[in-house]
Amino acid sequence: MSYLFPTYQRWEIEPEKAEGTMIFGKDGRQYLDFTSGIGVSNLGHRPKEVEQAIKTQLELFWHVSNLFPQSIQEEAAEKLAEASGLDCVFFANSGAEANEAAIKLARKATGRPKIITFLQSFHGRTFAGMAATGQDKIKQGFGSMLETFIHLPFNDLQALENELDAETAAVMIEIVQGEGGVHVANEEFIKEAAKLCSENGVLLIVDEIQTGIGRTGKPFAFQHFGIEPDIITVAKGLGNGLPIGAAAGKAELAEFFGPGSHGSTFGGNPISTAAASAVMEIVFDKDFLQKAAENGNYLFDLLQQHLCSMDIVKEIRGLGLMAGIELTVTAQPILAEMRQAGILALPAGEKVIRLLPPLNVTREEIEKAVHILKGTLRKHVITA
């Protein structure tokens, strides 16, 4: 019997310890982790620099509340603002909370009610997050959703032009739809969407919860397209396992988030912001990002080389070290077999295998993962 609500379909592996790219199970086996804690451990498990930053802050104070100025918050906020080209940061505890902050800020700053998002998107499991999400399956059983969220086809510029109006506060978009199946935005669509928002006084919110903090080979995925969002949201990789999220916005939005307008008891916790500052110090280094981008290209080259000819593989897509392999069959049984073979990967919808290795993964580890994936898929081709 478990005393936990059964909200997760848990795997058969219980971790005992984890280090780098490896998880060591209580079953005595070790597993190459290409989940990164669902895109969280971008530097692998227990990176020394981040661990030391956490230990240093633990010996100072754990929590004093946001009534106090805290230098560690300012340090982390400055790094996030400089890397994103934005100006002001609100710290939360998760991606869903970061998106809640962004939605509230957009509506308050514009005085408009409507938020446009996209089909297959995922923005969290709070009521605003669910309402923003373009997937019906996460809304089932919860009754009526919050109003004024509109979901359009992804990469459909005409649909966006038709829907965007004087009631629209913001367009909220993922550059790569992670949970929705690893669908990458079209460059023309992203650039034109940004232009439409600017011309119509609509705020552009880019949800970088999964794509941010180096995952795509740049600090943030929007930087591949040269656009300037008004707000971005980050979480996952920001704390490398410590709970933290953030919404960053342009300077002119600061007046709408004054005292009493928004808040969080634990948001900007000093332990989490110390971890985030250490993470950003490493990840935003130019040479580190260049190597991560090269490893992403290497991963895609191997996937294309070894999997494209298989009838079971429908499409390979992604950006940086964020890969999706769409199959013609259900992914879960194949993922279970991969775990038995020592490699951990994720689903992204019913038929997509998602690979999210740490950004400092080695080429040898990439080769091993692709070899195991190929061998597992080959068995299914033979038995199909």
Side-chain angles (χ1 to χ4, degrees):
M1 173 184 170
S2 173
Y3 290 94
L4 300 170
F5 274 113
T7 48
Y8 305 103
Q9 291 184 336
R10 297 184 191 271
W11 293 346
E12 66 280 3
I13 302 161
E14 183 174 352
E16 186 169 56
K17 62 178 264 187
E19 187 170 355
T21 56
M22 304 303 297
I23 288 179
F24 301 88
K26 287 191 174 181
D27 56 7
R29 300 183 62 198
Q30 60 185 46
Y31 302 87
L32 181 58
D33 185 8
F34 267 45
T35 75
S36 297
I38 317 183
V40 167
S41 302
N42 282 6
L43 296 175
H45 298 284
R46 296 177 49 227
K48 295 190 186 308
E49 299 90 341
V50 181
E51 188 170 294
Q52 185 54 56
I54 293 167
K55 288 179 178 178
T56 298
Q57 185 59 46
L58 277 169
E59 294 177 355
L60 298 175
F61 57 91
W62 301 2
H63 173 82
V64 292
S65 87
N66 286 307
L67 296 174
F68 296 86
Q70 298 173 53
S71 296
I72 193 63
Q73 283 187 356
E74 289 288 348
E75 179 183 299
E78 181 179 4
K79 290 177 181 178
L80 186 58
E82 287 185 349
S84 65
L86 296 169
D87 304 292
C88 302
V89 175
F90 174 84
F91 283 117
N93 303 289
S94 68
E97 286 189 17
N99 282 340
E100 290 273 347
I103 290 165
K104 287 179 65 175
L105 178 56
R107 289 183 56 156
K108 188 173 184 185
T110 63
R112 303 174 181 179
K114 188 165 78 175
I115 308 284
I116 296 174
T117 68
F118 297 90
L119 297 174
Q120 302 168 315
S121 64
F122 182 82
H123 298 292
R125 295 183 184 274
T126 59
F127 258 91
M130 283 195 299
T133 293
Q135 299 184 56
D136 289 339
K137 66 181 181 180
I138 77 154
K139 307 176 186 182
Q140 293 173 359
F142 294 105
S144 300
M145 290 292 107
L146 300 178
E147 298 178 355
T148 69
F149 285 89
I150 305 296
H151 309 100
L152 302 180
F154 194 49
N155 282 328
D156 189 331
L157 184 59
Q158 188 61 58
L160 180 59
E161 289 178 344
N162 293 342
E163 186 62 47
L164 195 144
D165 58 21
E167 292 297 299
T168 306
V171 172
M172 188 174 193
I173 192 166
E174 300 160 282
I175 301 298
V176 184
Q177 294 181 326
E179 301 292 329
V182 194
H183 297 281
V184 184
N186 176 279
E187 181 173 2
E188 181 185 5
F189 172 72
I190 288 294
K191 288 184 173 180
E192 288 300 316
K195 184 179 177 182
L196 276 173
C197 287
S198 178
E199 291 173 348
N200 290 276
V202 174
L203 299 181
L204 178 62
I205 303 171
V206 179
D207 180 334
E208 295 266 7
I209 304 301
Q210 192 164 146
T211 53
I213 319 299
R215 174 54 58 185
T216 66
K218 291 187 180 290
F220 305 97
F222 75 83
Q223 292 167 334
H224 288 278
F225 302 116
I227 61 169
E228 296 182 2
D230 298 286
I231 303 170
I232 67 167
T233 55
V234 294
K236 287 189 180 290
L238 181 58
N240 210 81
L242 273 288
I244 188 169
K250 291 183 176 179
E252 55 263 33
L253 298 174
E255 64 178 291
F256 302 102
F257 252 17
S261 60
H262 195 52
S264 168
T265 297
F266 295 105
N269 173 273
I271 309 300
S272 293
T273 47
S277 184
V279 166
M280 289 186 283
E281 189 70 28
I282 298 168
V283 171
F284 292 159
D285 176 78
K286 182 179 178 181
D287 291 337
F288 181 92
L289 286 169
Q290 178 64 32
K291 189 172 181 180
E294 290 171 358
N295 281 337
N297 291 335
Y298 187 64
L299 172 61
F300 273 90
D301 287 345
L302 287 186
L303 291 172
Q304 295 281 353
Q305 178 184 337
H306 290 283
L307 305 185
C308 266
S309 61
M310 292 184 172
D311 290 340
I312 196 173
V313 175
K314 183 177 179 181
E315 187 179 13
I316 298 169
R317 53 184 180 256
L319 187 63
L321 283 164
M322 187 176 184
I325 302 100
E326 184 172 356
L327 307 176
T328 59
V329 298
T330 302
Q332 286 288 6
I334 294 170
L335 289 166
E337 290 183 34
M338 289 172 64
R339 293 195 293 272
Q340 288 301 309
I343 173 76
L344 307 179
L346 295 162
E350 183 184 1
K351 295 183 178 180
V352 177
I353 292 173
R354 181 174 26 154
L355 304 178
L356 297 171
L359 305 183
N360 49 8
V361 65
T362 67
R363 296 206 168 189
E364 292 76 17
E365 290 166 337
I366 291 172
E367 290 163 5
K368 179 179 179 180
V370 174
H371 175 74
I372 291 173
L373 175 56
K374 179 182 179 181
T376 307
L377 290 175
R378 182 181 289 160
K379 287 193 295 183
H380 281 259
V381 170
I382 293 170
T383 58

